């Protein structure tokens, strides 16, 4: 009887988590955290309950996108772009659960692997369908024109300049897509881990002492050097996109170390929860234009400086 009651509660909470997660995805504003309710199930029930809920959510999200998109290859391409971040986050959530015993660096890398695979599949698909990419670019240009026409005279720019402008914006977005996924993964997984370990006395100490392998700094510096050189040396577009994605992802990782350093030093003056600081910084990053540059640039810089100087004394 007790086992039946436990199964009923798990089913009820799983359905609720899936519904809440889908609503966050549907309305868009909560997409960066929509996997969190599904991961939260693992803090109360077995991990397989959470993993099964993630699978159900993935089927639900794909089905919704499939039936709301137009037919044909163009509709399929639009669906792929629409699903890239949601499916990447769902897969990252599942891999995060499966790699519980590994270090944070390894877990983040494995969590990013599905998004890299999705990215490669979309790229190969577009390589086989260049005309389809042209159609998509035309749709994007029309969307940008509708969005910006109330503020600027698009017609005065000239057709060629406008086309280059839209393509450049798309390249910038694509060059940042993996770091964006990584940021969303960090928000989701840190929220989950904070709940999971909230009653453990050493959790805050582990957050305050988080440190990257010192040898990683040379990879980080080499990547940024390559980015600078790419401004003077012609490289294939896909190589440039890959370089920016990898470099910015490494920058996000050093921002994690910077957060740990900041939390350690703040705790010396006043004891409080790491998740409180995390939410404050997240709110500044999302809601305070201009001021958020301090968070966006400051945390990676602190993380890098920690490699050369002892900032946790």
């Amino acid at each position: 009887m007790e086992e039946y009651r436990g199964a009923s509660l798990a089913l009820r909470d799983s359905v609720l988590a899936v519904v809440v997660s889908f609503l966050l995805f549907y309305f868009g504003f909560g997409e960066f955290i929509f996997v969190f309710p599904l991961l939260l199930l693992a803090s109360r029930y077995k991990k397989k309950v959470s993993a099964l809920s993630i699978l159900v959510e993935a089927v639900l999200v794909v089905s919704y996108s499939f039936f709301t998109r137009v037919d044909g290859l163009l509709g399929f391409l639009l669906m792929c772009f629409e699903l890239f971040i949601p499916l990447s986050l769902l897969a990252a959530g599942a891999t995060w659960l499966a790699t519980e015993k590994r270090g944070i660096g390894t877990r983040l890398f494995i969590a990013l692997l599905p998004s890299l695979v999705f990215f490669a599949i979309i790229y190969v698909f577009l390589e086989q369908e260049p005309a389809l990419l042209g159609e998509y670019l035309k749709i994007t240009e029309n969307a940008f024109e509708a969005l910006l026409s109330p503020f600027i005279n698009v017609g005065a720019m000239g057709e060629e300049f406008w086309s280059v402008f839209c393509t450049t914006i798309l390249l910038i977005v694509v060059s940042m897509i993996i770091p964006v996924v990584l940021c969303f993964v960090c928000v989701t997984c840190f929220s989950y881990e904070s709940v999971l370990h909230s009653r453990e006395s050493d959790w805050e100490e582990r957050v305050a002492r988080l440190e990257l392998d010192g040898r990683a700094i040379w990879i980080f510096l080499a990547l940024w050097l390559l980015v600078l050189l790419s401004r003077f040396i012609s490289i294939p577009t896909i190589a440039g996109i890959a370089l920016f994605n990898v470099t910015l992802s490494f920058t996000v990782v050093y921002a994690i170390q910077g957060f740990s350093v900041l939390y350690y030093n703040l705790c010396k003056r006043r004891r409080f929860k790491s998740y409180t600081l995390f939410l404050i910084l997240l709110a500044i990053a999302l809601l305070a234009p201009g001021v958020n540059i301090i968070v966006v640039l400051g945390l990676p810089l602190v993380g890098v400086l920690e490699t050369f100087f002892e900032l946790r004394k």
Side-chain angles (χ1 to χ4, degrees), residues 31 80-86 88-89 112 115-116 118-120 122 170-185 241-242 244-246 248-249 252:
E31 189 171 275
C80 288
F81 287 146
E82 181 182 85
L83 290 177
F84 179 82
I85 289 181
S88 294
L89 295 179
L112 275 182
S115 61
L116 295 174
F118 297 156
F119 189 93
I122 293 175
L170 275 177
L171 287 175
I172 292 173
V173 171
V174 174
S175 297
M176 297 175 63
I177 192 67
I178 301 300
V180 167
V181 170
L182 178 56
C183 286
F184 288 177
V185 169
I241 291 173
F244 270 96
N245 273 289
V246 173
L248 292 176
S249 295
V252 173

Side-chain angles (χ1 to χ4, degrees), residues 115-134:
S115 61
L116 295 174
V117 172
F118 297 156
F119 189 93
I121 290 173
I122 293 175
Y123 173 75
V124 171
F125 175 69
L126 288 176
E127 279 285 292
Q128 305 300 318
E129 300 287 343
L132 191 63
L133 179 59

Side-chain angles (χ1 to χ4, degrees), residues 45-117:
Y45 305 105
K46 294 180 180 179
K47 287 191 294 183
K48 64 181 181 181
V49 174
S50 181
L52 184 59
S53 299
I54 289 174
L55 178 60
V56 171
E57 185 70 30
V59 172
L60 190 61
V61 166
V62 171
S63 299
Y64 169 78
S65 297
F66 180 79
F67 288 112
T68 55
R69 281 295 172 196
V70 295
D71 294 331
L73 281 177
L74 182 58
F76 177 75
L77 179 62
L78 292 172
M79 185 184 76
C80 288
F81 287 146
E82 181 182 85
L83 290 177
F84 179 82
I85 289 181
L87 289 184
S88 294
L89 295 179
L90 287 167
T95 57
W96 189 263
L97 292 175
T99 56
E100 185 179 13
K101 303 299 182 182
R102 298 178 180 269
I104 184 173
T106 303
R107 295 181 79 184
L108 284 175
F109 175 73
I110 295 175
L112 275 182
L113 281 180
S115 61
L116 295 174
V117 172

Side-chain angles (χ1 to χ4, degrees), residues 40-294:
L40 208 54
L41 292 168
S43 65
R44 185 173 181 183
Y45 305 105
K46 294 180 180 179
K47 287 191 294 183
K48 64 181 181 181
V49 174
S50 181
L52 184 59
S53 299
I54 289 174
L55 178 60
V56 171
E57 185 70 30
V59 172
L60 190 61
V61 166
V62 171
S63 299
Y64 169 78
S65 297
F66 180 79
F67 288 112
T68 55
R69 281 295 172 196
V70 295
D71 294 331
L73 281 177
L74 182 58
F76 177 75
L77 179 62
L78 292 172
M79 185 184 76
C80 288
F81 287 146
E82 181 182 85
L83 290 177
F84 179 82
I85 289 181
L87 289 184
S88 294
L89 295 179
L90 287 167
T95 57
W96 189 263
L97 292 175
T99 56
E100 185 179 13
K101 303 299 182 182
R102 298 178 180 269
I104 184 173
T106 303
R107 295 181 79 184
L108 284 175
F109 175 73
I110 295 175
L112 275 182
L113 281 180
S115 61
L116 295 174
V117 172
F118 297 156
F119 189 93
I121 290 173
I122 293 175
Y123 173 75
V124 171
F125 175 69
L126 288 176
E127 279 285 292
Q128 305 300 318
E129 300 287 343
L132 191 63
L133 179 59
E135 290 183 54
Y136 175 75
L137 290 175
K138 192 63 181 176
I139 290 176
T140 303
E141 288 179 18
N142 293 336
F144 280 142
E145 184 174 354
L147 184 65
L148 297 177
S149 56
F151 309 102
I152 60 176
N153 186 359
V154 175
M157 291 185 175
E159 184 175 345
E160 184 176 351
F161 178 83
W162 176 246
S163 179
V164 172
F165 175 76
C166 293
T167 302
T168 301
I169 293 178
L170 275 177
L171 287 175
I172 292 173
V173 171
V174 174
S175 297
M176 297 175 63
I177 192 67
I178 301 300
V180 167
V181 170
L182 178 56
C183 286
F184 288 177
V185 169
C186 289
V187 171
T188 300
C189 293
F190 186 69
S191 299
Y192 162 68
E193 293 291 334
S194 294
V195 173
L196 186 65
H197 302 291
S198 60
R199 297 183 179 180
E200 297 179 13
S201 58
D202 68 334
W203 166 246
E204 301 299 336
E205 179 68 19
R206 285 155 57 190
V207 174
R209 290 290 183 180
L210 189 149
E211 190 172 359
L212 301 175
D213 189 321
R215 293 171 293 183
I217 190 64
W218 304 115
I219 300 176
F220 174 79
L221 294 176
L223 286 169
W224 274 109
L225 178 61
L226 288 174
V227 168
L228 292 175
L229 290 176
S230 69
R231 300 299 88 197
F232 307 100
I233 302 174
S234 178
I235 61 175
T237 301
I238 187 61
I241 291 173
L243 176 61
F244 270 96
N245 273 289
V246 173
T247 304
L248 292 176
S249 295
F250 255 89
T251 304
V252 173
V253 172
Y254 272 96
I256 296 173
Q257 178 164 282
F259 172 81
S260 178
V261 173
L262 177 62
Y263 177 63
Y264 175 89
N265 284 280
L266 288 176
C267 278
K268 291 196 303 184
R269 297 170 175 81
R270 182 180 178 183
R271 194 72 179 173
F272 60 98
K273 297 288 187 180
S274 58
Y275 196 58
T276 302
L277 175 62
F278 177 74
L279 291 177
I280 291 172
L281 295 178
L282 181 63
I284 293 173
L286 295 177
L287 305 175
V291 180
N292 59 7
I293 197 71
I294 299 174

